Amino acid sequence: MNLLFVCSENRLRSPTCEEVFSRYDGIHAIGAGTNEDAETVVSGDLIEWADIVFVMEQSHKNKVAKKFKDLLKGKRLVCLDIPDNYERMDPALVQLLQHRVAKHVRIQ
């Protein structure tokens, strides 16, 4: 299962997702950002690679849906509603991510 996690700059939330969910067997996770100055900018290749695209906020969902409309056909685009007020690998963020992602993906 390939999971793409998208935030704004790919510096705090989506890298946390990549690190946390890559630990699970059978899951490959990549983080990306919507901003042009993101560490890894979300691209069509990443959208095509992903089985599910998770975004942190509604604004990210809007940007991704608009820019990659055709590539998203048949894919799930899920907003996790996680605000940008956590540090990378913050235990509270990790717990929140695990809880919300588990609603969409079987993780063990």
Side-chain angles (χ1 to χ4, degrees):
M1 168 90 40
N2 296 334
L3 307 180
L4 177 60
F5 293 92
V6 180
C7 63
S8 297
E9 296 184 352
N10 186 224
R11 289 187 175 87
L12 302 172
R13 293 172 290 176
S14 59
T16 297
C17 293
E18 186 172 342
E19 188 171 334
V20 168
F21 294 103
S22 290
R23 295 177 187 159
Y24 293 98
D25 288 338
I27 293 182
H28 304 280
I30 294 179
T34 56
N35 293 356
E36 291 301 318
D37 64 342
E39 295 289 324
T40 300
V41 178
V42 65
S43 66
D45 288 345
L46 288 173
I47 298 292
E48 288 178 327
W49 169 85
D51 294 308
I52 303 175
V53 179
F54 290 98
V55 297
M56 299 299 142
E57 301 175 38
Q58 188 62 43
S59 63
H60 303 133
K61 187 173 183 177
N62 295 342
K63 287 178 185 178
V64 169
K66 183 177 179 182
K67 187 170 183 177
F68 301 106
K69 181 180 178 183
D70 292 339
L71 295 177
L72 286 165
K73 288 184 177 148
K75 293 189 184 274
R76 290 170 52 205
L77 178 59
V78 177
C79 184
L80 296 172
D81 290 316
I82 297 177
D84 190 13
N85 57 9
Y86 296 94
E87 292 300 317
R88 187 172 179 159
M89 294 306 290
D90 179 326
L93 173 59
V94 171
Q95 185 176 19
L96 187 58
L97 288 166
Q98 288 174 323
H99 175 72
R100 295 207 176 152
V101 170
K103 294 177 181 178
H104 305 278
V105 177
R106 188 176 194 172
I107 54 176
Q108 298 179 7

Short mmCIF file of all heavy atoms in Angstrom, two decimals, residues 5-15 31-42 54-57 59-60 63-64 82-84:
data_model
loop_
_atom_site.label_atom_id
_atom_site.label_comp_id
_atom_site.label_asym_id
_atom_site.label_seq_id
_atom_site.Cartn_x
_atom_site.Cartn_y
_atom_site.Cartn_z
N PHE A 5 1.47 11.56 1.88
CA PHE A 5 1.03 12.52 2.90
C PHE A 5 1.46 13.92 2.46
O PHE A 5 2.64 14.14 2.17
CB PHE A 5 1.64 12.17 4.26
CG PHE A 5 1.13 10.89 4.81
CD1 PHE A 5 1.79 9.69 4.57
CD2 PHE A 5 -0.05 10.85 5.56
CE1 PHE A 5 1.31 8.49 5.09
CE2 PHE A 5 -0.54 9.65 6.07
CZ PHE A 5 0.15 8.48 5.83
N VAL A 6 0.50 14.84 2.44
CA VAL A 6 0.77 16.17 1.93
C VAL A 6 0.45 17.23 2.98
O VAL A 6 -0.64 17.23 3.57
CB VAL A 6 -0.06 16.45 0.65
CG1 VAL A 6 0.20 17.84 0.12
CG2 VAL A 6 0.22 15.39 -0.41
N CYS A 7 1.43 18.13 3.20
CA CYS A 7 1.20 19.32 4.01
C CYS A 7 1.69 20.51 3.18
O CYS A 7 1.72 20.42 1.95
CB CYS A 7 1.89 19.21 5.39
SG CYS A 7 3.68 19.10 5.37
N SER A 8 2.08 21.60 3.80
CA SER A 8 2.49 22.78 3.04
C SER A 8 3.96 22.73 2.61
O SER A 8 4.27 22.87 1.44
CB SER A 8 2.25 24.05 3.85
OG SER A 8 0.89 24.21 4.12
N GLU A 9 4.84 22.52 3.57
CA GLU A 9 6.27 22.65 3.29
C GLU A 9 7.04 21.33 3.38
O GLU A 9 8.24 21.31 3.13
CB GLU A 9 6.89 23.68 4.22
CG GLU A 9 6.32 25.06 3.99
CD GLU A 9 6.98 26.12 4.84
OE1 GLU A 9 7.78 25.78 5.73
OE2 GLU A 9 6.69 27.30 4.60
N ASN A 10 6.38 20.25 3.77
CA ASN A 10 7.03 18.94 3.90
C ASN A 10 8.23 19.04 4.85
O ASN A 10 9.31 18.54 4.59
CB ASN A 10 7.46 18.42 2.51
CG ASN A 10 8.02 17.01 2.54
OD1 ASN A 10 9.02 16.74 1.91
ND2 ASN A 10 7.39 16.11 3.27
N ARG A 11 7.98 19.71 6.00
CA ARG A 11 9.05 19.84 6.99
C ARG A 11 8.66 19.28 8.36
O ARG A 11 9.53 18.86 9.11
CB ARG A 11 9.45 21.31 7.14
CG ARG A 11 10.20 21.82 5.93
CD ARG A 11 10.76 23.21 6.12
NE ARG A 11 11.57 23.60 4.99
CZ ARG A 11 11.11 24.17 3.89
NH1 ARG A 11 9.83 24.45 3.77
NH2 ARG A 11 11.92 24.49 2.90
N LEU A 12 7.37 19.26 8.70
CA LEU A 12 6.95 18.80 10.03
C LEU A 12 5.95 17.65 9.96
O LEU A 12 6.25 16.53 10.36
CB LEU A 12 6.38 19.98 10.83
CG LEU A 12 7.32 21.18 11.04
CD1 LEU A 12 6.58 22.35 11.67
CD2 LEU A 12 8.53 20.79 11.85
N ARG A 13 4.75 17.94 9.47
CA ARG A 13 3.69 16.92 9.51
C ARG A 13 3.90 15.77 8.54
O ARG A 13 3.88 14.60 8.94
CB ARG A 13 2.32 17.58 9.28
CG ARG A 13 1.92 18.51 10.43
CD ARG A 13 0.68 19.29 10.11
NE ARG A 13 0.99 20.29 9.08
CZ ARG A 13 0.10 21.10 8.52
NH1 ARG A 13 -1.17 21.01 8.87
NH2 ARG A 13 0.46 21.99 7.62
N SER A 14 4.09 16.06 7.26
CA SER A 14 4.21 14.95 6.30
C SER A 14 5.50 14.14 6.50
O SER A 14 5.46 12.91 6.35
CB SER A 14 4.04 15.42 4.85
OG SER A 14 4.97 16.40 4.51
N PRO A 15 6.64 14.75 6.89
CA PRO A 15 7.80 13.89 7.19
C PRO A 15 7.56 13.00 8.41
O PRO A 15 8.05 11.87 8.46
CB PRO A 15 8.93 14.89 7.46
CG PRO A 15 8.53 16.13 6.77
CD PRO A 15 7.02 16.16 6.84
N GLY A 31 6.20 11.71 2.07
CA GLY A 31 5.66 13.02 2.39
C GLY A 31 6.00 14.01 1.30
O GLY A 31 7.04 13.90 0.64
N ALA A 32 5.12 14.98 1.11
CA ALA A 32 5.34 16.04 0.12
C ALA A 32 4.62 17.29 0.58
O ALA A 32 3.82 17.25 1.50
CB ALA A 32 4.84 15.60 -1.26
N GLY A 33 4.92 18.41 -0.08
CA GLY A 33 4.29 19.68 0.28
C GLY A 33 3.68 20.36 -0.93
O GLY A 33 4.09 20.11 -2.07
N THR A 34 2.72 21.23 -0.68
CA THR A 34 2.05 21.95 -1.76
C THR A 34 2.81 23.21 -2.16
O THR A 34 2.66 23.68 -3.28
CB THR A 34 0.62 22.37 -1.35
OG1 THR A 34 0.69 23.15 -0.15
CG2 THR A 34 -0.27 21.15 -1.13
N ASN A 35 3.64 23.75 -1.27
CA ASN A 35 4.38 24.97 -1.57
C ASN A 35 5.55 24.68 -2.51
O ASN A 35 6.16 23.61 -2.44
CB ASN A 35 4.92 25.61 -0.29
CG ASN A 35 3.82 26.15 0.61
OD1 ASN A 35 2.65 26.11 0.26
ND2 ASN A 35 4.21 26.63 1.76
N GLU A 36 5.88 25.67 -3.33
CA GLU A 36 7.00 25.51 -4.26
C GLU A 36 8.34 25.34 -3.55
O GLU A 36 9.26 24.76 -4.10
CB GLU A 36 7.06 26.70 -5.23
CG GLU A 36 5.90 26.75 -6.20
CD GLU A 36 5.79 25.51 -7.09
OE1 GLU A 36 6.83 25.01 -7.57
OE2 GLU A 36 4.66 25.03 -7.29
N ASP A 37 8.44 25.84 -2.31
CA ASP A 37 9.70 25.73 -1.56
C ASP A 37 9.70 24.53 -0.62
O ASP A 37 10.56 24.41 0.25
CB ASP A 37 9.98 27.01 -0.79
CG ASP A 37 8.96 27.30 0.29
OD1 ASP A 37 7.85 26.73 0.24
OD2 ASP A 37 9.25 28.12 1.19
N ALA A 38 8.77 23.61 -0.80
CA ALA A 38 8.70 22.41 0.04
C ALA A 38 9.94 21.56 -0.16
O ALA A 38 10.56 21.58 -1.24
CB ALA A 38 7.44 21.61 -0.30
N GLU A 39 10.29 20.79 0.86
CA GLU A 39 11.42 19.86 0.75
C GLU A 39 11.23 18.93 -0.45
O GLU A 39 12.14 18.72 -1.23
CB GLU A 39 11.57 19.05 2.03
CG GLU A 39 11.94 19.87 3.25
CD GLU A 39 13.36 20.38 3.22
OE1 GLU A 39 14.25 19.66 2.74
OE2 GLU A 39 13.59 21.50 3.70
N THR A 40 10.04 18.35 -0.56
CA THR A 40 9.63 17.56 -1.73
C THR A 40 8.29 18.12 -2.16
O THR A 40 7.34 18.12 -1.37
CB THR A 40 9.47 16.07 -1.38
OG1 THR A 40 10.72 15.56 -0.92
CG2 THR A 40 9.01 15.27 -2.59
N VAL A 41 8.21 18.63 -3.37
CA VAL A 41 6.97 19.23 -3.86
C VAL A 41 6.09 18.11 -4.43
O VAL A 41 6.56 17.23 -5.16
CB VAL A 41 7.26 20.29 -4.95
CG1 VAL A 41 5.96 20.87 -5.50
CG2 VAL A 41 8.15 21.39 -4.38
N VAL A 42 4.80 18.14 -4.06
CA VAL A 42 3.88 17.13 -4.58
C VAL A 42 3.85 17.22 -6.11
O VAL A 42 3.83 18.30 -6.68
CB VAL A 42 2.46 17.28 -3.96
CG1 VAL A 42 1.80 18.58 -4.36
CG2 VAL A 42 1.60 16.09 -4.29
N PHE A 54 -3.28 11.44 1.47
CA PHE A 54 -3.74 12.09 2.70
C PHE A 54 -3.21 13.51 2.73
O PHE A 54 -2.03 13.74 2.49
CB PHE A 54 -3.21 11.36 3.94
CG PHE A 54 -3.80 10.00 4.17
CD1 PHE A 54 -3.15 8.86 3.76
CD2 PHE A 54 -5.03 9.87 4.81
CE1 PHE A 54 -3.69 7.60 3.99
CE2 PHE A 54 -5.58 8.62 5.04
CZ PHE A 54 -4.92 7.48 4.62
N VAL A 55 -4.09 14.45 3.02
CA VAL A 55 -3.67 15.85 3.19
C VAL A 55 -3.97 16.27 4.62
O VAL A 55 -4.84 15.69 5.27
CB VAL A 55 -4.37 16.78 2.17
CG1 VAL A 55 -3.99 16.42 0.75
CG2 VAL A 55 -5.87 16.77 2.34
N MET A 56 -3.25 17.25 5.09
CA MET A 56 -3.40 17.66 6.48
C MET A 56 -4.56 18.63 6.69
O MET A 56 -5.21 18.60 7.73
CB MET A 56 -2.11 18.32 6.99
CG MET A 56 -0.90 17.41 6.96
SD MET A 56 -1.12 15.96 7.99
CE MET A 56 -0.32 14.74 6.97
N GLU A 57 -4.81 19.50 5.72
CA GLU A 57 -5.84 20.54 5.87
C GLU A 57 -6.68 20.65 4.60
O GLU A 57 -6.25 20.23 3.53
CB GLU A 57 -5.18 21.90 6.14
CG GLU A 57 -4.31 21.93 7.39
CD GLU A 57 -3.58 23.26 7.55
OE1 GLU A 57 -4.17 24.31 7.24
OE2 GLU A 57 -2.41 23.23 7.97
N SER A 59 -7.26 23.23 2.83
CA SER A 59 -6.57 24.03 1.80
C SER A 59 -5.66 23.15 0.95
O SER A 59 -5.55 23.35 -0.27
CB SER A 59 -5.79 25.18 2.43
OG SER A 59 -4.76 24.68 3.26
N HIS A 60 -5.01 22.16 1.58
CA HIS A 60 -4.16 21.24 0.82
C HIS A 60 -5.02 20.38 -0.11
O HIS A 60 -4.64 20.12 -1.26
CB HIS A 60 -3.37 20.32 1.76
CG HIS A 60 -2.53 21.06 2.75
ND1 HIS A 60 -2.51 20.73 4.07
CD2 HIS A 60 -1.69 22.11 2.60
CE1 HIS A 60 -1.69 21.55 4.71
NE2 HIS A 60 -1.19 22.40 3.84
N LYS A 63 -5.97 22.43 -3.16
CA LYS A 63 -4.84 22.62 -4.09
C LYS A 63 -4.54 21.34 -4.86
O LYS A 63 -4.35 21.36 -6.08
CB LYS A 63 -3.58 23.06 -3.33
CG LYS A 63 -3.63 24.48 -2.85
CD LYS A 63 -2.36 24.83 -2.07
CE LYS A 63 -2.46 26.22 -1.48
NZ LYS A 63 -1.27 26.57 -0.69
N VAL A 64 -4.48 20.22 -4.15
CA VAL A 64 -4.17 18.94 -4.79
C VAL A 64 -5.28 18.55 -5.76
O VAL A 64 -5.01 18.12 -6.89
CB VAL A 64 -3.92 17.85 -3.72
CG1 VAL A 64 -3.86 16.47 -4.36
CG2 VAL A 64 -2.64 18.14 -2.95
N ILE A 82 -5.53 18.13 10.37
CA ILE A 82 -4.48 18.28 11.38
C ILE A 82 -3.80 19.63 11.15
O ILE A 82 -3.14 19.83 10.13
CB ILE A 82 -3.47 17.13 11.33
CG1 ILE A 82 -4.20 15.81 11.66
CG2 ILE A 82 -2.31 17.38 12.28
CD1 ILE A 82 -3.37 14.58 11.59
N PRO A 83 -3.98 20.57 12.09
CA PRO A 83 -3.41 21.91 11.93
C PRO A 83 -1.89 21.91 12.05
O PRO A 83 -1.28 20.97 12.57
CB PRO A 83 -4.06 22.70 13.07
CG PRO A 83 -4.37 21.68 14.11
CD PRO A 83 -4.69 20.41 13.35
N ASP A 84 -1.30 22.98 11.58
CA ASP A 84 0.16 23.14 11.58
C ASP A 84 0.62 23.73 12.91
O ASP A 84 1.14 24.84 12.97
CB ASP A 84 0.58 24.03 10.41
CG ASP A 84 2.08 24.04 10.22
OD1 ASP A 84 2.78 23.19 10.80
OD2 ASP A 84 2.57 24.91 9.45
#
